[in-house]
Every structure is written in structure tokens, then in C-alpha cells.
Amino acid sequence: PATLRGKGYEEFLPLYRSRRRWSDRVKELDLPLFPGYLFCRFDVHDRLLPILTTPGVISIVGAGKTPIAVPDEEIATVQAILRSGLPSRPWPCLTAGSKVLIERGPLAGIEGIALRVDKTFRLVVSVLLLQRSVAVEIERDWVRPIPNGAGPRAVPLDIKPRVLKALA
């Protein structure tokens, strides 16, 4: 990521905190929320060679040779989850379920899919292009259902982010 930044690109590598247990100790590690992927803002009409020749970059995610942008609202939602400080972790991508809007708490204004796992409520937000999701624990009384998928969205950003396939 630092190499891309040095080339003038804005990159985003979302990380989450994970506890790993070894036989003699427990250690907390920062791990990629979407292993093997790095987000980068760039103009597809500029030369792509500086990005593709960056060490660790394998390809730009897209359809054939055409890069596909990740919707701004999906990036803004992942950033809001990370800024909230709430425990989050990778989650299998879900496309079905009840869409909800967070009305209270540090994620107010965010929408996603609500789940209940082991008496804990979670909000699942997906980055559909990657077929990956992130889950964050929430309070049940923070949410309200969104009928027919209508409702407010996360605040969009300026330039369309793209996804780079990177070495894991």
C-alpha cells in the first residue's frame, strides 16, 4: 500500500483485530478484512501500468480488462464500521435477508443485513464485487427494518474506488 501512496494514489486496506492463540500465549493481530484485496482510487482513463507494476499487485478487479468500481456507499460503510471501534470480522457474503437501517449508536445511518448469532445481533455489509462481507456486533434496538430495500444510504465519496487483487 505504501508504494501506491508513493505513486500518488489513495489506497485503503481495511484491517480488523483478531486474537490468535498459540500453545504458550495469545496475541492480537491486525488482519485484512478482505484477504488478497486492496482498494485504490484511480481514473480508468489514465495509464494503468504504474498500478499494475506495483509489487504485490496481481491485477485490477473487473470484467475482462475493464476495471469495475466498487460503489462509494459500500466503501463508506466499511470505513464507518472501522471508525466505530465496534468488533468486526470477515463474514461470508449474504445476498438474502432482512435489510435494516441503523438508527442509533456509532453506525447511525448505515444499512445492511441483520443476523442473530448465538444471542448476539450483527449487521452484515457486503462488497458485492468481491463477494465478501463484514459483520459487526450491534444492539438490537439500534435498527429498524427497511421495506423493499428503500431508505437512506451511506454518504458517497468523490472518486470511484477500484479494487486491486494483491498477494495475500
Side-chain angles (χ1 to χ4, degrees), residues 60-75:
I60 299 170
V61 176
K65 293 185 178 188
T66 306
I68 297 177
V70 173
D72 291 332
E73 61 200 29
E74 291 180 2
I75 296 294

Side-chain angles (χ1 to χ4, degrees), residues 107-157:
L107 297 178
I110 300 296
E111 62 182 58
I113 299 169
L115 295 178
R116 184 175 177 166
V117 180
D118 300 328
K119 298 181 184 178
T120 303
F121 287 89
R122 291 192 172 100
L123 175 76
V124 176
V125 174
S126 298
V127 176
L128 296 176
L129 180 63
L130 302 182
Q131 293 294 295
R132 306 276 176 113
S133 298
V134 58
V136 61
E137 290 184 14
I138 58 171
E139 298 293 326
R140 187 176 199 274
D141 62 349
W142 289 356
V143 303
R144 75 166 165 84
I146 299 174
N148 301 327
R153 311 291 279 178
V155 178
L157 304 174

Side-chain angles (χ1 to χ4, degrees), residues 50-117:
I51 295 170
L52 292 170
T53 57
T54 301
V57 173
I58 296 171
S59 63
I60 299 170
V61 176
K65 293 185 178 188
T66 306
I68 297 177
V70 173
D72 291 332
E73 61 200 29
E74 291 180 2
I75 296 294
T77 298
V78 171
Q79 290 172 329
I81 288 171
L82 295 176
R83 277 193 311 269
S84 77
L86 296 170
S88 58
R89 61 186 173 124
W91 198 261
C93 187
L94 302 171
T95 55
S98 301
K99 267 200 146 182
V100 296
L101 171 68
I102 304 287
E103 292 187 309
R104 289 184 293 288
L107 297 178
I110 300 296
E111 62 182 58
I113 299 169
L115 295 178
R116 184 175 177 166
V117 180

Side-chain angles (χ1 to χ4, degrees), residues 21-84:
R21 184 177 307 275
W22 283 270
S23 60
D24 62 335
R25 66 185 196 256
V26 175
K27 188 170 183 175
E28 286 199 359
L29 302 171
D30 288 325
L31 299 174
L33 198 52
F34 305 104
Y37 294 95
L38 170 72
F39 298 92
C40 182
R41 290 187 184 279
F42 61 90
D43 182 350
V44 294
H45 302 294
D46 284 345
R47 293 177 347 132
L48 301 180
L49 195 58
I51 295 170
L52 292 170
T53 57
T54 301
V57 173
I58 296 171
S59 63
I60 299 170
V61 176
K65 293 185 178 188
T66 306
I68 297 177
V70 173
D72 291 332
E73 61 200 29
E74 291 180 2
I75 296 294
T77 298
V78 171
Q79 290 172 329
I81 288 171
L82 295 176
R83 277 193 311 269
S84 77

